[in-house]
Amino acid sequence: MAPAQVICGKAAAAQIRERLKTQVAQMKERVPGFRPGLAILQVGDRDDSNIYISMKLKAAAEIGINANHIKLPNTATEAEVLRCITVLNEDPAVHGFIVQLPIDTDKPINTNKVTNAVAPEKDVDGLTSINAGKLSRGDLRDCFIPCTPKGCMELIRQTGIQIAGKKAVVVGRSKIVGAPMHDLLLWSHATVTTCHTKTTALAEEVSKADILVVAAGKPEMVKGEWIKPGAVVIDCGINYIPDSTKPNGKTVVGDVAYSAAKERASYITPVPGGVGPMTVAMLMQSTVESAQRFLEQFQPGKWSIQYNQLSLRTPVPSDIEVSRSCVPKRIGHLAREVGLLSEEVELYGQTKAKVLLSTLKRLKDQPDGKYVVVTGITPTPLGEGKSTTTIGLAQALGAHLKLNVFACVRQPSQGPTFGIKGGAAGGGYSQVIPMEEFNLHLTGDIHAITAANNLVAAAIDARMFHEQTQSDQALYTRLVPSISGVRKFSDIQIRRLQKLGIEKTDPGTLTDEERKKFVRLDIDPATITWQRVMDTNDRFLRKITIGQSPTEKGFTRTAQFDITVASEIMAVLALTDGLGDMRRRLGKMVVASSKNGEPVTTDDLGVTGALAVLMKDAVKPNLMQTLEGTPVFVHAGPFANIAHGNSSVLADKIALKLVGQEGFVVTEAGFGADIGMEKFFNIKCRYSGLRPHVVVLVATVRALKMHGGGPTVTAGVPLPKEYIEENLQLLKTGCSNLGKQIQNARTFGTPVVVAVNAFKSDTEAELQLVIQLAKEAGAYDAVKCTHWAEGGKGAVALAQAVQRASQEPSNFKFLYNVELPVVEKIRIIAQQIYGAEDIELSPEAEQKVVVYTKQGFGNLPICMAKTHLSLSHDPEKKGVPTGFILPIRDIRASVGAGFLYPLVGTMSTMPGLPTRPCFYDIDLDPVSEQVNGLF
């Protein structure tokens, strides 16, 4: 019998690498810049592992695979290894991922737990239980196979023999080679026997084999005479035995006595140069296969996201019934769908999570998506559905047009929730869910603002008290205490010294005069603008007297409570672009003036760092979802009158990165376009640097009829017949308000799409009239919307119009230059946006202009605080009032947030409870823990 033909693994591996090179080149042609990614995680520094890894890295480089070697020290703990695995599992650039075995560590690490932590779809070593289970079931097209057995099968096929029907024997039962080899041969229709060290009559079993695979790890254990004549022999062993003829005193042999076996076998693999090179080649092949699977599902910039199917009912049930009819996705799953990594998400239960700001750093090079702001015409007291439209549009863009989309909305205050309004999560089949979570506490951001705000308030009164009751030396001793005989300024005290022009850092070197300047803020109580807050409507806290306890020694003053969302800290949260910026803004907040007319800031009070600590979690946007499973950021909820009424810059920025270049971010501006949209452009966009692509202007037949001269619309009172019956003339007259708000939006150079939010009482003729007049007034498009009743399906036409409008060239511009005088900026807004003839400042307002200009705040943007129920200052004037003089009663400063807010007329920053508040109907089921009656 002729000696066996040698199966050269080196030659076979070289052929495979050449084939893989071609495949990788084809991938690059299909997706420019794409490369298969392989990650090799090594723990420790074993010499043999280093050699194997270098071979893998060399092969990867030859083929064009982007291989990354991650090396952890042998002191790494199991938790550290698992964290590293999680990061690699979630990295979309990694298609193949192996943990180099054995793990070389001083710590107790469960190897099985570590290998099973690798994502099965990236487990190119085929070692996870999931891949092993699929292999044992014969699911060969849906799993990865360990590289050595896979290479063995390739070498067997190269002999040209038919595997089916043959008798195969595998010597060895390891999960890396023996066990999977058995399964591969079995599913190739061989009759397979697995032998091992405990097998009796091993030689007899081996002698029956047409195909023999040996992976026992014992040098030359299988003797040549055991081999069946004509058998195919695959030797997986690599063993070192003494050899005095070799320079290093040892030689490499396999598990089979090669020379003798070669005389009986028909084909045989050598050691080295047989199976070894194939193992590396198969690792590369599996990596390329994984990359190909990725590309089969890959759509550039597209999320792999599942949407919820709505079960629409007519008539539409209550909002809470609709909300509970849909089972939300687990929020961690949604986070993964939209491209967030586990380390970037902090779960708050199963339906809400916070997203870390590190996401922005990771995605800094990702292009932004399209930016859409939803606003409205001047509304009735009932509201015209901006929130519902925002959510409906997002559902249409995502679930129906299959575009990446985020909605970004404000967090509602609990004041209206328990007062007169109820929930604020959208409505009908266009909602954020779960409603209870959305409206009650959420993740505690508003409570954090309450604590931070009231800490400032406490610091103001405490500082005034201590300054009035202590000498300069006593104040200095307490403000700069001696600790272990050493006095030292804190960082915030150094900043105060620098502000005072005192360039000293040693507390012992200050003169008496410098000490006095340092310790005395000398706050004028009459100038204090900082109020305490709470997130509950309580009219009896609108004016209070504080300091009545005997311990306060008669130092009383008149103060008040505001609702928490009126706090400047809420506006800071909404406008900040990161932790550092938030800390800076918090420190700049002006709380009062000194008796010398100098602004007193929170930094002067020494409270800036503490505020930042209280707000460190609140600064992270909250992730929720819509009924149809599209993502929503719920973050910040500033008032829309004394503040700018928009959700956070941070939420918008993260969302714009996550959706990618072809995706959309839909955000909402509070109140009508004359207030919320104007502030969105002139304040939010000015600070964020973001530029909107489209304005969606929400209009209703009901509100337009009111502007046409219809009767008063009152919450809780049935609508008069004029709003229920068709009246085209009344409607046409009222469309003047729509035209003015379209003009306002176009003033900023952004295309406008009008969303006509249809109610069941509207006639088709009325809806078509609004659409016609909107287009004539300059809208890019106008469409009827039924998203309240139909969810995203009812806003598909709106979504398509928005998509088209977003392709139009943008000529965005601000309304005014902030360098203009304060009065001129106010006049521009009044005349160009409201239609006023002019403005008139009260003496108090004129004095504030002088003070704020002198204090260096004259270049801040303007945030007008006026009624949302009219373009003018008078809520009774509907339509498009003209010829009026806009009265400016007072001007105040939110320096940390970054704007001045003129007060037009009177308004309360602490709502009251109605005769029958919403809480009459609210209760908790003690068994199911379900909230009832809230909405």
Side-chain angles (χ1 to χ4, degrees):
M1 180 177 175
Q5 293 186 42
V6 176
I7 312 171
C8 181
K10 286 184 178 180
Q15 292 173 358
I16 290 168
R17 289 196 301 273
E18 285 302 316
R19 184 178 77 243
L20 294 178
K21 275 187 196 178
T22 301
Q23 292 174 356
V24 170
Q26 290 170 346
M27 291 182 193
K28 289 180 180 178
E29 287 179 11
R30 176 182 166 189
V31 182
F34 179 83
R35 291 175 68 191
L38 172 65
I40 303 171
L41 175 60
Q42 180 186 13
V43 181
D45 194 34
R46 284 176 59 115
D47 290 339
D48 55 349
S49 291
N50 290 334
I51 292 170
Y52 297 146
I53 290 171
S54 67
M55 292 167 56
K56 294 166 185 174
L57 294 175
K58 181 180 178 182
E62 178 188 346
I63 293 165
I65 293 171
N66 182 27
N68 185 18
H69 179 200
I70 301 97
K71 200 168 187 177
L72 299 180
N74 62 3
T75 56
T77 64
E78 183 177 273
E80 289 170 335
V81 175
L82 292 173
R83 276 198 296 272
C84 186
I85 290 173
T86 298
V87 171
L88 293 169
N89 281 342
E90 295 178 344
D91 187 343
V94 173
H95 309 107
F97 170 26
I98 68 169
V99 178
Q100 184 67 39
L101 300 177
I103 295 174
D104 174 26
T105 177
D106 296 336
K107 306 291 184 183
I109 292 182
N110 185 327
T111 300
N112 191 50
K113 184 176 181 181
V114 166
T115 54
N116 272 306
V118 176
E121 66 273 15
K122 297 187 178 186
D123 173 31
V124 288
D125 250 350
L127 298 184
T128 61
S129 297
I130 290 177
N131 278 320
K134 289 181 176 180
L135 175 58
S136 69
R137 288 189 324 198
D139 297 338
L140 303 187
R141 294 185 179 181
D142 190 34
C143 73
F144 284 112
I145 299 164
C147 299
T148 299
K150 188 175 183 179
C152 291
M153 288 298 291
E154 185 67 27
L155 292 174
I156 293 169
R157 291 190 188 99
Q158 289 207 358
T159 67
I161 72 157
Q162 177 102 14
I163 298 175
K166 294 291 191 297
K167 171 72 174 177
V169 173
V170 178
V171 181
R173 56 181 173 180
S174 74
K175 70 176 185 178
I176 296 176
V177 183
M181 194 72 234
H182 171 280
D183 292 336
L184 284 170
L185 288 164
L186 180 66
W187 294 114
S188 295
H189 310 296
T191 301
V192 188
T193 300
T194 297
C195 300
H196 44 79
T197 55
K198 303 297 183 184
T199 301
T200 58
L202 179 61
E204 181 182 343
E205 294 295 340
V206 169
S207 68
K208 301 174 184 177
D210 300 311
I211 300 170
L212 176 65
V213 181
V214 186
K218 292 190 175 182
E220 299 182 330
M221 182 185 76
V222 175
K223 309 306 178 186
E225 59 267 25
W226 296 0
I227 306 297
K228 179 180 179 180
V232 175
V233 179
I234 307 295
D235 187 351
C236 302
I238 297 179
N239 308 283
Y240 293 91
I241 61 173
D243 185 347
S244 59
T245 67
K246 299 291 184 182
N248 62 358
K250 54 187 177 181
T251 192
V252 179
V253 298
D255 292 351
V256 178
Y258 180 75
S259 297
K262 185 178 179 183
E263 298 302 317
R264 296 176 66 87
S266 60
Y267 293 92
I268 190 168
T269 58
V271 177
V275 173
M278 291 298 291
T279 299
V280 176
M282 290 300 102
L283 175 64
M284 300 300 117
Q285 181 169 305
S286 291
T287 301
V288 172
E289 288 172 358
S290 180
Q292 287 172 329
R293 292 177 190 175
F294 173 80
L295 285 182
E296 286 172 6
Q297 300 178 346
F298 174 70
Q299 291 179 290
K302 289 284 188 179
W303 294 335
S304 178
I305 184 170
Q306 295 294 315
Y307 299 106
N308 300 329
Q309 294 291 321
L310 297 180
S311 297
L312 302 177
R313 289 168 53 190
T314 304
V316 176
S318 68
D319 287 350
I320 191 63
E321 285 183 83
V322 172
S323 175
R324 289 175 179 164
S325 70
C326 179
V327 178
K329 293 183 280 190
R330 287 178 175 263
I331 201 66
H333 177 70
L334 176 63
R336 289 190 295 274
E337 287 183 324
V338 301
L340 289 163
L341 307 182
S342 296
E343 62 187 15
E344 295 169 342
V345 179
E346 294 175 349
L347 302 180
Y348 281 64
Q350 298 300 330
T351 57
K352 55 190 178 181
K354 280 202 166 287
V355 174
L356 274 61
L357 306 190
S358 58
T359 308
L360 266 179
K361 183 177 180 181
R362 175 174 66 88
L363 299 174
K364 66 181 186 302
D365 296 326
Q366 169 95 335
D368 286 347
K370 304 292 195 304
Y371 197 27
V372 179
V373 60
V374 177
T375 185
I377 62 170
T378 306
T380 69
L382 305 179
E384 310 316 310
K386 290 193 310 297
S387 298
T388 306
T389 302
T390 300
I391 302 306
L393 173 57
Q395 291 181 157
L397 287 164
H400 298 269
L401 299 190
K402 309 304 181 187
L403 297 167
N404 296 353
V405 62
F406 247 99
C408 293
V409 299
R410 289 184 293 169
Q411 179 182 351
S413 165
Q414 287 181 176
T417 297
F418 288 104
I420 194 169
K421 184 179 179 182
Y429 286 101
S430 295
Q431 300 185 42
V432 180
I433 57 170
M435 283 188 70
E436 302 96 316
E437 300 289 347
F438 182 86
N439 287 282
L440 298 175
H441 306 295
L442 197 56
T443 56
D445 294 351
I446 291 181
H447 301 317
I449 292 167
T450 302
N453 183 99
N454 292 343
L455 180 61
V456 175
I460 293 167
D461 288 304
R463 185 59 175 262
M464 288 195 300
F465 173 78
H466 292 308
E467 288 188 21
Q468 291 167 4
T469 57
Q470 297 181 47
S471 67
D472 294 346
Q473 183 58 46
L475 283 169
Y476 191 74
T477 299
R478 289 176 171 83
L479 286 170
V480 193
S482 175
I483 301 174
S484 301
V486 178
R487 293 187 190 278
K488 184 179 179 181
F489 291 124
S490 66
D491 291 343
I492 201 166
Q493 289 175 326
I494 293 289
R495 292 202 298 272
R496 171 150 175 79
L497 288 168
Q498 292 170 344
K499 177 180 177 181
L500 294 170
I502 302 171
E503 297 297 329
K504 296 179 180 179
T505 56
D506 182 353
T509 62
L510 266 65
T511 66
D512 288 345
E513 182 61 28
E514 288 172 338
R515 289 186 182 186
K516 181 175 182 179
K517 288 173 63 178
F518 172 73
V519 302
R520 295 209 175 269
L521 300 181
D522 204 21
I523 294 171
D524 180 355
T527 66
I528 295 173
T529 55
W530 197 268
Q531 310 298 343
R532 288 164 173 81
V533 300
M534 64 188 301
D535 197 34
T536 302
N537 289 2
D538 191 342
R539 67 192 319 124
F540 285 92
L541 294 178
R542 290 171 177 169
K543 190 172 185 179
I544 59 174
T545 302
I546 60 174
Q548 292 189 333
S549 170
T551 56
E552 273 50 78
K553 301 179 181 180
F555 294 107
T556 64
R557 70 180 181 90
T558 300
Q560 70 185 58
F561 270 79
D562 293 339
I563 194 87
T564 298
V565 292
S567 169
E568 184 177 350
I569 296 177
M570 177 63 88
V572 166
L573 176 66
L575 288 170
T576 190
D577 65 3
L579 273 172
D581 178 65
M582 181 180 73
R583 188 177 180 281
R584 181 183 61 80
R585 287 174 179 269
L586 290 172
K588 288 172 61 177
M589 295 187 302
V590 174
V591 300
S593 293
S594 71
K595 291 173 183 174
N596 290 329
E598 295 297 319
V600 177
T601 67
T602 42
D603 221 41
D604 293 325
L605 288 167
V607 75
T608 305
L611 298 181
V613 169
L614 285 170
M615 294 293 293
K616 70 180 180 64
D617 292 319
V619 76
K620 306 165 191 171
N622 304 296
L623 178 65
M624 295 189 75
Q625 63 192 284
T626 68
L627 282 165
E628 297 191 50
T630 58
V632 181
F633 274 138
V634 184
H635 198 218
F639 252 29
N641 45 31
I642 67 165
H644 63 294
N646 286 263
S647 59
S648 79
V649 166
L650 279 170
D652 290 359
K653 285 191 169 184
I654 295 174
L656 284 163
K657 294 297 182 187
L658 288 170
V659 300
Q661 195 165 13
E662 299 304 317
F664 285 80
V665 171
V666 184
T667 191
E668 176 193 350
F671 292 160
D674 54 308
I675 301 180
M677 183 198 69
E678 182 269 316
K679 295 174 183 180
F680 171 83
F681 287 131
N682 284 320
I683 298 176
K684 185 176 181 179
C685 290
R686 197 184 296 269
Y687 282 121
S688 69
L690 299 174
R691 300 293 180 261
H693 293 79
V694 183
V695 171
V696 172
L697 184 68
V698 180
T700 63
V701 168
R702 176 182 66 195
L704 292 171
K705 285 181 175 179
M706 177 192 71
H707 287 296
T712 301
V713 175
T714 306
V717 177
L719 287 172
K721 64 180 179 62
E722 287 86 349
Y723 297 101
I724 299 171
E725 298 173 357
E726 183 176 289
N727 190 326
L728 297 179
Q729 185 55 51
L730 190 67
L731 178 61
K732 184 176 182 180
T733 303
C735 279
S736 60
N737 185 271
L738 172 62
K740 172 58 177 168
Q741 298 290 30
I742 291 172
Q743 176 192 327
N744 284 342
R746 295 188 65 196
T747 297
F748 295 91
T750 306
V752 183
V753 175
V754 173
V756 185
N757 190 14
F759 292 3
K760 63 181 180 181
S761 58
D762 301 338
T763 68
E764 193 60 30
E766 289 175 326
L767 295 168
Q768 290 306 315
L769 178 61
V770 175
I771 290 170
Q772 174 194 332
L773 294 176
K775 291 178 180 179
E776 290 175 2
Y780 174 84
D781 203 351
V783 294
K784 170 186 171 183
C785 301
T786 56
H787 45 273
W788 180 81
E790 298 184 292
K793 176 185 174 183
V796 167
L798 174 63
Q800 291 168 334
V802 166
Q803 190 177 18
R804 291 192 303 272
S806 71
Q807 306 300 324
E808 292 294 304
S810 176
N811 300 303
F812 177 78
K813 57 183 181 294
F814 294 118
L815 184 66
Y816 55 80
N817 187 327
V818 290
E819 302 294 327
L820 290 172
V822 172
V823 173
E824 186 59 28
K825 288 183 285 192
I826 296 172
R827 181 175 286 112
I828 289 172
I829 296 172
Q831 291 179 335
Q832 295 193 31
I833 301 299
Y834 307 155
E837 183 175 315
D838 204 350
I839 60 174
E840 182 178 58
L841 274 66
S842 70
E844 185 175 6
E846 289 178 340
Q847 177 60 25
K848 289 290 183 67
V849 170
V850 173
V851 170
Y852 291 144
T853 302
K854 179 182 177 183
Q855 292 178 340
F857 308 140
N859 290 342
L860 292 176
I862 300 299
C863 182
M864 300 290 284
K866 80 166 188 71
T867 179
H868 62 292
L869 298 175
S870 172
L871 283 164
S872 74
H873 57 285
D874 183 352
E876 300 303 317
K877 291 184 177 180
K878 305 302 181 181
V880 183
T882 57
F884 62 92
I885 304 297
L886 191 75
I888 310 299
R889 178 172 61 85
D890 194 4
I891 302 175
R892 296 177 187 169
S894 287
V895 178
F899 52 75
L900 301 178
Y901 60 100
L903 302 180
V904 182
T906 59
M907 60 193 66
S908 173
T909 49
M910 171 54 81
L913 291 173
T915 305
R916 192 183 192 283
C918 294
F919 61 64
Y920 269 76
D921 302 310
I922 298 170
D923 202 356
L924 181 71
D925 187 314
V927 177
S928 67
E929 299 185 12
Q930 180 171 285
V931 177
N932 295 318
L934 186 56
F935 314 105

